[in-house]
Amino acid sequence: MTGIGRPGRDAPAIALTIAGSDSSGGAGIQADLKTFSALGVYGASVITAVTAQNTRVVTHIHDIPLDVVEGQIVAVLDDLDVAAIKIGMLSSPEIVESVARALDGYAGPVVLDPVIVAKSGAKLLRDEAIAALKERLLPRATVITPNLPEAAALLDCAPAGDAEEVERQGRALLSLGPAAVLMKGGHAEGEVCTDLLLVANGPAMTFTAERLDTRNTHGTGCSLSSAIAAGLAKGLALPQAVGEAHDWLHGAIRAADMLSVGSGHGPVHHFHRLWEGLR
C-alpha cells in the first residue's frame, strides 16, 4: 500500500470514501464524492452496500460481498496516493472486519462516521456490528463524528439531554480509542446548533451556527464527515478541517431548498458555492 501520499504542485489531494450507495444521490457514497469535488479534492470510492432509497424511505439493503469490499480497498490503496479516508455505512460485523483488515498498514488520517440509522428511520448498522465497530475501527480513527443518537448507541445509554452530558458522552467515546470525537449537535434543541470537538488531554472546542428551518437535511452527516476528510487530505490540522467543514455544510443546508429534490427529506446543496453564478 502506498499509505498517505502528497499531491504534486498542480494535482488535487486524493480522498477515499468507504460507504454505502444511496440511489437517491443525497447521502452515502454519492454525497461523499460530491463533497470531495465541491471542496477541490479528487474522490475515490469503495462501496460496502447498495441501498434502494429515496428521500422518504429505504426499501432494500444489499451488502457487497466481503472479498469485493476488501478488494476495492486494496486496489485503490495499491495505486492511488490517498491522503485521507472517510468511513461511513458498514452494516455488518463481517464488513467491519474486512475494512479493518484491508486498512492495516495505511498511515493516513481516517474519519469514521458511525452511520447507524438513515434519515428515514431505517437501520443501517446491525446491532451486532456495533461491538465490532468499537473494537476494530474506533481505535484506528483520527476522529469519529457521531450525532447524539449515534453516540448513545455506541455507549448503550440514552441520548445526551444537555451540553454537560454531551461532553461527558464525548469523553467516554474518547476512552474507546479514537484520537478525537466530534459530537454533532443537529439532533439537539435550540436556535443554535453546536458541534463539540474533543481531543485527548485537550480542551473542548465548539463550532456553532444558526439552526436552519428546513426539512432538506438528507446526507448532512455523510457530507460533514467527508468534508472533514477533504480538509485533512489537503493537509489542514483537525480543528481547521472541522471548522471549514462546519461552515461549508451550513451553507449547503441554507441552500438546500433551492434543489427541490424529492418529497421527503431532500439533500443538502453540495455545490452551493459553485452553482451560485450559474443561476
Side-chain angles (χ1 to χ4, degrees):
M1 293 183 190
T2 56
I4 187 168
R6 286 291 176 255
R9 179 179 300 175
D10 298 320
I14 299 173
L16 168 65
T17 169
I18 303 172
S21 169
D22 171 8
S23 54
S24 73
I29 286 283
Q30 288 83 351
D32 296 340
L33 292 176
K34 289 174 184 178
T35 300
F36 293 159
S37 293
L39 296 175
V41 170
Y42 179 88
S45 63
V46 168
I47 299 177
T48 61
V50 174
T51 69
Q53 65 174 293
N54 53 36
T55 63
R56 294 180 285 106
V57 66
V58 177
T59 58
H60 296 82
I61 297 174
H62 172 70
D63 290 343
I64 300 299
L66 302 178
D67 60 333
V68 178
V69 172
E70 196 164 342
Q72 290 176 85
I73 297 172
V74 171
V76 171
L77 294 182
D78 188 54
D79 184 44
L80 277 62
D81 287 330
V82 174
I85 293 175
K86 172 263 170 79
I87 301 175
M89 177 187 175
L90 298 181
S91 183
S92 72
E94 293 80 12
I95 292 178
V96 172
E97 177 60 36
S98 291
V99 170
R101 184 168 55 245
L103 291 182
D104 282 346
Y106 177 73
V110 173
V111 179
L112 174 60
D113 187 27
V115 178
I116 296 177
V117 179
K119 190 72 68 181
S120 64
K123 197 75 175 287
L124 300 180
L125 181 70
R126 299 171 198 163
D127 292 339
E128 61 268 27
I130 293 178
L133 192 74
K134 290 164 65 174
E135 178 181 351
R136 295 291 280 132
L137 287 177
L138 259 66
R140 176 64 185 82
T142 304
V143 60
I144 65 172
T145 61
N147 59 35
L148 300 188
E150 289 165 346
L154 290 171
L155 295 171
D156 193 22
C157 65
D162 56 40
E164 290 75 17
E165 183 61 21
V166 169
E167 181 165 353
R168 281 195 294 271
Q169 290 191 10
R171 296 206 179 276
L173 289 172
L174 269 181
S175 71
L176 299 178
V181 175
L182 181 68
M183 297 286 284
K184 298 180 298 192
H187 285 73
E189 301 293 332
E191 297 181 356
V192 175
C193 179
T194 300
D195 293 346
L196 185 70
L197 179 63
L198 301 164
V199 297
N201 303 316
M205 291 167 271
T206 59
F207 302 84
T208 61
E210 171 194 6
R211 193 176 299 277
L212 300 172
D213 183 17
T214 176
R215 70 178 183 180
N216 295 321
T217 55
H218 184 54
T220 50
C222 303
S223 301
L224 179 63
S225 57
S226 53
I228 295 169
L232 294 175
K234 291 189 285 188
L236 300 182
L238 180 60
Q240 185 180 0
V242 171
E244 293 195 5
H246 188 270
D247 291 344
W248 169 83
L249 181 62
H250 191 254
I253 296 171
R254 184 182 295 279
D257 292 353
M258 293 168 47
L259 292 178
S260 299
V261 172
S263 58
H265 293 288
V268 302
H269 194 336
H270 296 91
F271 298 109
H272 62 283
R273 293 176 178 174
L274 303 177
W275 292 9
E276 194 166 314
L278 302 180
R279 298 199 303 272

